[in-house]
Amino acid sequence: ISAAKIDNSDDIIKILLGYVSERFNELGYNLNDINKHIPAQYMNKYLSLLSEGKVNKKHQKDIINYLITTQFEHSPDELFDLLLSDPKYQVIDNSIVMEIIDKIIRENEKAVEDAKTNPKKIGFLIGKIKSESNGQADLKVATEILKEKLNIN
Protein backbone atom coordinates (compact mmCIF):
# COMPACT_ATOMS: atom_id res chain seq x y z
CA ILE A 1 0.00 0.00 0.00
CA SER A 2 1.40 3.39 -0.92
CA ALA A 3 0.63 6.86 0.37
CA ALA A 4 -2.73 8.20 -0.73
CA LYS A 5 -2.38 10.01 -4.00
CA ILE A 6 -4.39 12.43 -6.08
CA ASP A 7 -5.02 10.12 -8.97
CA ASN A 8 -8.22 11.32 -10.52
CA SER A 9 -9.56 14.47 -12.08
CA ASP A 10 -12.26 14.84 -9.39
CA ASP A 11 -9.59 15.48 -6.75
CA ILE A 12 -7.82 18.02 -8.95
CA ILE A 13 -11.10 19.78 -9.74
CA LYS A 14 -11.90 19.88 -6.02
CA ILE A 15 -8.56 21.57 -5.32
CA LEU A 16 -8.75 24.04 -8.17
CA LEU A 17 -12.41 24.93 -8.02
CA GLY A 18 -12.87 24.38 -4.32
CA TYR A 19 -9.90 25.66 -2.37
CA VAL A 20 -8.49 28.07 -4.94
CA SER A 21 -11.79 29.69 -5.90
CA GLU A 22 -12.83 29.93 -2.24
CA ARG A 23 -9.63 31.77 -1.36
CA PHE A 24 -9.78 33.95 -4.49
CA ASN A 25 -13.32 35.01 -3.54
CA GLU A 26 -12.18 35.87 -0.02
CA LEU A 27 -9.37 38.04 -1.42
CA GLY A 28 -11.53 39.62 -4.13
CA TYR A 29 -9.43 38.09 -6.92
CA ASN A 30 -10.83 37.06 -10.28
CA LEU A 31 -10.36 33.33 -10.94
CA ASN A 32 -9.56 34.18 -14.58
CA ASP A 33 -6.37 35.78 -13.24
CA ILE A 34 -5.13 32.60 -11.53
CA ASN A 35 -1.78 32.70 -13.36
CA LYS A 36 -1.08 36.18 -11.97
CA HIS A 37 -1.40 34.85 -8.43
CA ILE A 38 -0.23 31.25 -8.84
CA PRO A 39 1.98 30.80 -11.89
CA ALA A 40 1.20 27.58 -13.76
CA GLN A 41 4.59 25.98 -13.06
CA TYR A 42 3.98 26.29 -9.29
CA MET A 43 0.46 24.86 -9.46
CA ASN A 44 1.72 22.04 -11.70
CA LYS A 45 4.49 21.25 -9.21
CA TYR A 46 1.98 21.22 -6.34
CA LEU A 47 -0.45 18.93 -8.18
CA SER A 48 2.46 16.68 -9.14
CA LEU A 49 3.58 16.38 -5.50
CA LEU A 50 0.01 15.59 -4.47
CA SER A 51 -0.32 12.93 -7.16
CA GLU A 52 2.93 11.35 -5.97
CA GLY A 53 1.69 11.28 -2.37
CA LYS A 54 4.52 13.57 -1.20
CA VAL A 55 2.33 16.25 0.39
CA ASN A 56 0.06 15.80 3.37
CA LYS A 57 -3.42 16.30 1.91
CA LYS A 58 -4.63 17.53 5.29
CA HIS A 59 -2.93 20.88 4.71
CA GLN A 60 -4.12 21.57 1.16
CA LYS A 61 -5.83 24.83 2.13
CA ASP A 62 -2.71 26.06 3.92
CA ILE A 63 -0.53 25.33 0.91
CA ILE A 64 -2.98 26.89 -1.55
CA ASN A 65 -3.13 30.00 0.64
CA TYR A 66 0.67 30.09 0.77
CA LEU A 67 0.87 29.83 -3.02
CA ILE A 68 -1.67 32.61 -3.50
CA THR A 69 0.03 35.00 -1.09
CA THR A 70 3.72 34.29 -1.64
CA GLN A 71 6.24 36.20 -3.71
CA PHE A 72 7.76 33.72 -6.15
CA GLU A 73 11.46 34.30 -5.61
CA HIS A 74 12.43 30.64 -5.97
CA SER A 75 11.94 28.03 -8.65
CA PRO A 76 9.01 25.65 -8.08
CA ASP A 77 11.42 22.92 -6.92
CA GLU A 78 13.18 25.26 -4.48
CA LEU A 79 9.91 26.70 -3.18
CA PHE A 80 8.41 23.29 -2.45
CA ASP A 81 11.66 22.01 -0.95
CA LEU A 82 11.50 24.94 1.48
CA LEU A 83 7.80 24.50 2.16
CA LEU A 84 8.03 20.75 2.63
CA SER A 85 10.93 21.09 5.05
CA ASP A 86 8.18 21.94 7.57
CA PRO A 87 7.18 18.55 9.07
CA LYS A 88 3.49 19.48 9.22
CA TYR A 89 3.32 19.38 5.42
CA GLN A 90 5.07 16.03 5.11
CA VAL A 91 3.50 12.63 4.73
CA ILE A 92 5.15 10.06 6.93
CA ASP A 93 6.42 6.91 5.32
CA ASN A 94 4.09 3.91 5.33
CA SER A 95 6.70 1.80 7.13
CA ILE A 96 6.46 4.22 10.04
CA VAL A 97 2.65 4.10 9.85
CA MET A 98 2.86 0.30 10.06
CA GLU A 99 5.09 0.52 13.15
CA ILE A 100 2.59 2.90 14.76
CA ILE A 101 -0.29 0.58 13.90
CA ASP A 102 1.56 -2.43 15.35
CA LYS A 103 2.14 -0.46 18.56
CA ILE A 104 -1.51 0.63 18.75
CA ILE A 105 -2.65 -2.97 18.24
CA ARG A 106 -0.31 -4.23 21.00
CA GLU A 107 -1.38 -1.53 23.45
CA ASN A 108 -5.14 -1.67 22.84
CA GLU A 109 -6.18 -5.32 22.91
CA LYS A 110 -9.77 -4.64 24.00
CA ALA A 111 -10.32 -2.01 21.31
CA VAL A 112 -8.83 -4.39 18.72
CA GLU A 113 -11.25 -7.16 19.74
CA ASP A 114 -14.14 -4.66 19.69
CA ALA A 115 -13.19 -3.55 16.17
CA LYS A 116 -12.94 -7.16 14.97
CA THR A 117 -16.43 -7.96 16.23
CA ASN A 118 -17.90 -4.59 15.23
CA PRO A 119 -15.92 -2.89 12.44
CA LYS A 120 -17.71 0.41 13.15
CA LYS A 121 -15.65 0.63 16.34
CA ILE A 122 -12.40 0.97 14.39
CA GLY A 123 -12.63 4.76 14.84
CA PHE A 124 -11.06 4.58 18.30
CA LEU A 125 -7.96 2.90 16.88
CA ILE A 126 -7.80 5.37 13.98
CA GLY A 127 -7.86 8.19 16.54
CA LYS A 128 -4.93 6.58 18.34
CA ILE A 129 -3.01 6.36 15.05
CA LYS A 130 -3.73 10.02 14.32
CA SER A 131 -2.55 11.00 17.79
CA GLU A 132 0.57 8.83 17.74
CA SER A 133 1.59 10.17 14.30
CA ASN A 134 0.96 13.79 15.33
CA GLY A 135 -1.60 14.00 12.53
CA GLN A 136 0.95 13.17 9.84
CA ALA A 137 -0.34 9.71 8.92
CA ASP A 138 -2.61 9.60 5.92
CA LEU A 139 -5.68 8.26 7.70
CA LYS A 140 -7.15 6.70 4.56
CA VAL A 141 -4.01 4.63 4.09
CA ALA A 142 -3.74 3.94 7.84
CA THR A 143 -7.33 2.68 7.88
CA GLU A 144 -6.61 0.34 4.97
CA ILE A 145 -3.50 -1.02 6.68
CA LEU A 146 -5.29 -1.42 10.02
CA LYS A 147 -8.24 -3.24 8.43
CA GLU A 148 -5.83 -5.51 6.60
CA LYS A 149 -3.95 -6.32 9.81
CA LEU A 150 -7.20 -6.98 11.69
CA ASN A 151 -8.78 -8.92 8.80
CA ILE A 152 -11.71 -6.52 8.62
CA ASN A 153 -13.43 -6.02 5.27
Side-chain angles (χ1 to χ4, degrees), residues 13 43-44 58 91 111 140 145:
I13 290 169
M43 182 58 81
N44 288 340
K58 179 175 102 171
V91 176
K140 184 176 178 182
I145 294 170

Side-chain angles (χ1 to χ4, degrees), residues 28-43:
Y29 294 164
N30 185 331
L31 197 54
N32 292 328
D33 296 331
I34 189 169
N35 277 330
K36 285 181 9 186
H37 302 286
I38 308 175
Q41 65 268 31
Y42 293 88
M43 182 58 81

Side-chain angles (χ1 to χ4, degrees), residues 55-136:
V55 178
N56 190 330
K57 289 169 48 175
K58 179 175 102 171
H59 295 288
Q60 289 178 13
K61 287 185 178 183
D62 293 341
I63 293 173
I64 291 294
N65 187 54
Y66 179 81
L67 290 175
I68 292 170
T69 59
T70 194
Q71 297 294 319
F72 296 98
E73 299 169 356
H74 302 284
S75 73
D77 288 336
E78 293 169 334
L79 179 97
F80 280 99
D81 285 347
L82 287 170
L83 188 61
L84 295 179
S85 66
D86 184 337
K88 82 175 184 178
Y89 295 123
Q90 298 171 1
V91 176
I92 61 173
D93 186 78
N94 284 345
S95 62
I96 295 171
V97 174
M98 287 186 196
E99 290 174 18
I100 290 170
I101 290 171
D102 289 341
K103 178 183 178 198
I104 299 298
I105 289 172
R106 281 192 312 273
E107 294 177 355
N108 296 278
E109 292 177 21
K110 170 98 171 80
V112 167
E113 289 308 313
D114 289 347
K116 285 181 178 179
T117 57
N118 183 358
K120 291 181 181 180
K121 293 191 175 187
I122 200 168
F124 174 80
L125 297 169
I126 298 301
K128 291 285 193 182
I129 294 166
K130 182 178 179 180
S131 176
E132 186 73 25
S133 71
N134 296 316
Q136 289 183 290

